[in-house]
Amino acid sequence: GKMAYEMGLNKWYILSANAEEKKTRTNLKKLGCLFEAFLGALFLDFNKISIKDEGDWFSNVFVTGPGFQIAQIFVENIFEKHVNWIDLIQNDENYKNILQFEELNSIIKNNGYSWSAIQSIDFYQALRFTITFTFITLPFVIIFGMCLALCVNNLVNKLKGPVIFITLLPFIITPVIGSLSIKWLFIGDGIVTSLLEYILEKDIAVFAKAWSIELLVLFYRIWHTTPFAFVIFYAALQTVDKDRIEAAFVDGANRFQRFRYIVIPHIMPLIVFVTLIHLMDAYRVYDEIVGFGAEGFLNSLQWMTYDFLRLDDSGSRYIGRASATSMLTMIGIVIILIPVLRRVFREQKEKKN
């Protein structure tokens, strides 16, 4: 497509007004198709030429005319003029090379292991945020979910229904809508921003800094996912053996000891289950970036996949890069799940023995 554009083939397109509005004339993908069509036309046109040679090669050996030879000469000339072979050999700039090891090594040599410099590479910036987001939100979700479950479990029966309903609301709301609702509280003259400006007596721009947006994104994921952990843990608490709890109480065990030695071991399989679900879900963080409009400050692996599939200014999609990023995302999920799965396998093996 780029070679076709440099050759000026785009000037010979016959396009509709609608195609012109979509900038099809400078779409490198479409121009690549045009270049292939031009080669096909060149091949077919020159095949019509009748050639008589002494050895009758074009009569007895070749089943076509000179179209192939003409197309070959044309392509060789184009490559010699528009392709810098030395630069292509010396510089490893494969568009599918998401990890960009060459650039990473250059940054490390010039700046040391400076994380701020390493994050100038999109993949490592996305990886940093994805891992941070996953492992910071996980303990908060489990702890808050457990605390809510314990509190609701000790409420009187009349209050349990309404409290459970209110607690589950953040999980019921669609993630993009929920993140937008939180965004409107803080952006511009939002209620929370206006209140903070009134208290602190100074202007506040929450969405002007990357760290403040990241905190909001983390807060939203915890707020949105905690109800899932809560409902799982609350259901598990209903199956705890009350006789064992009463026996421990009679033996002098305090509330914390009963929770640690009876409740936790009983619901541990469900804690592992919540951990697995959250790790897989959080590592694919995407909705929060869209809802908060944070793509200018934050980047995740899942967002990179989507961004590569969007049309750029030239109308092209980087499907190869998107595929590579998707594979790296799946590999990352498998890696972070290995410790948890090993624990589950080991416990199951011990039970069998």
Side-chain angles (χ1 to χ4, degrees):
K2 185 178 179 181
M3 288 189 294
Y5 183 78
E6 292 176 357
M7 290 166 56
L9 288 181
N10 60 314
K11 299 176 183 178
W12 300 94
Y13 254 144
I14 299 177
L15 300 174
S16 65
N18 182 44
E20 290 284 7
E21 290 177 0
K22 293 181 179 180
K23 300 181 179 180
T24 304
R25 192 173 294 279
T26 55
N27 186 320
L28 297 183
K29 184 177 180 181
K30 301 296 184 184
L31 285 175
C33 297
L34 177 63
F35 184 79
E36 294 172 0
F38 184 80
L39 282 180
L42 195 69
F43 172 79
L44 293 175
D45 284 349
F46 278 92
N47 269 344
K48 298 177 181 177
I49 298 176
S50 178
I51 294 181
K52 295 181 180 180
D53 59 303
E54 294 180 358
D56 290 331
W57 284 82
F58 283 93
S59 300
N60 302 324
V61 180
F62 297 123
V63 295
T64 64
F68 177 81
Q69 287 76 15
I70 298 298
Q72 179 182 359
I73 294 172
F74 173 77
V75 170
E76 289 175 353
N77 289 331
I78 293 298
F79 280 3
E80 290 296 330
K81 184 176 181 180
H82 295 282
V83 178
N84 188 338
W85 296 102
I86 297 176
D87 182 68
L88 191 65
I89 294 171
Q90 291 180 344
N91 299 319
D92 182 13
E93 295 181 349
N94 188 340
Y95 73 94
K96 295 181 182 178
N97 185 11
I98 302 298
L99 299 177
Q100 300 181 33
F101 287 124
E102 294 289 336
E103 187 175 349
L104 178 62
N105 290 332
S106 176
I107 289 175
I108 292 174
K109 288 179 181 178
N110 297 328
N111 302 286
Y113 290 92
S114 172
W115 187 244
S116 59
I118 293 174
Q119 286 191 93
S120 62
I121 302 176
D122 289 340
F123 173 78
Y124 296 102
Q125 180 189 18
L127 182 64
R128 194 282 307 170
F129 172 72
T130 302
I131 293 176
T132 302
F133 180 86
T134 301
F135 288 102
I136 287 181
T137 55
L138 175 61
F140 284 102
V141 168
I142 292 177
I143 292 171
F144 290 160
M146 183 65 71
C147 291
L148 280 172
L150 291 171
C151 292
V152 174
N153 193 50
N154 292 323
L155 287 175
V156 295
N157 292 330
K158 290 184 179 180
L159 293 177
K160 285 184 179 180
V163 171
I164 291 173
F165 173 75
I166 294 172
T167 306
L168 290 177
L169 281 179
F171 189 66
I172 297 173
I173 299 173
T174 305
V176 174
I177 302 301
S179 56
L180 281 173
S181 64
I182 299 296
K183 176 183 178 181
W184 291 331
L185 293 175
F186 289 90
I187 195 169
D189 296 326
I191 296 174
V192 177
T193 303
S194 299
L195 180 61
L196 290 174
E197 289 178 343
Y198 175 77
I199 296 173
L200 300 176
E201 297 182 350
K202 66 177 182 179
D203 293 335
I204 296 176
V206 177
F207 284 82
K209 300 290 184 180
W211 66 267
S212 57
I213 297 177
E214 187 165 345
L215 284 178
L216 276 180
V217 170
L218 292 170
F219 166 77
Y220 171 75
R221 175 51 70 105
I222 295 170
W223 175 74
H224 173 70
T225 314
T226 296
F228 171 73
F230 153 72
V231 74
I232 297 295
F233 295 151
Y234 177 74
L237 290 176
Q238 310 311 305
T239 64
V240 175
D241 189 353
K242 294 182 179 180
D243 293 337
R244 293 183 62 190
I245 298 290
E246 293 175 359
F249 177 75
V250 172
D251 290 338
N254 57 36
R255 186 183 296 271
F256 177 75
Q257 289 173 330
R258 296 196 298 271
F259 174 74
R260 179 181 178 184
Y261 295 106
I262 297 177
V263 176
I264 290 295
H266 179 75
I267 66 173
M268 182 55 70
L270 290 176
I271 294 177
V272 173
F273 169 75
V274 171
T275 301
L276 288 171
I277 296 299
H278 182 79
L279 288 176
M280 289 187 290
D281 189 43
Y283 199 84
R284 296 179 293 106
V285 53
Y286 169 79
D287 296 321
E288 287 83 353
I289 295 177
V290 175
F292 283 98
E295 57 270 19
F297 298 93
L298 303 177
N299 194 6
S300 70
L301 296 176
Q302 194 75 357
W303 168 262
M304 283 186 68
T305 303
Y306 164 73
D307 192 41
F308 286 139
L309 292 174
R310 292 196 301 175
L311 292 175
D312 61 12
D313 293 336
S314 64
S316 301
R317 289 186 177 93
Y318 299 98
I319 298 176
R321 290 186 177 186
S323 300
T325 309
S326 297
M327 288 301 300
L328 291 171
T329 302
M330 289 192 292
I331 292 171
I333 291 174
V334 171
I335 291 173
I336 64 175
L337 290 182
I338 286 175
V340 184
L341 294 175
R342 284 186 63 187
R343 176 190 175 91
V344 174
F345 177 77
R346 187 171 60 252
E347 289 179 352
Q348 294 297 321
K349 189 176 180 179
E350 289 175 357
K351 287 180 180 180
K352 290 180 180 180
N353 295 334

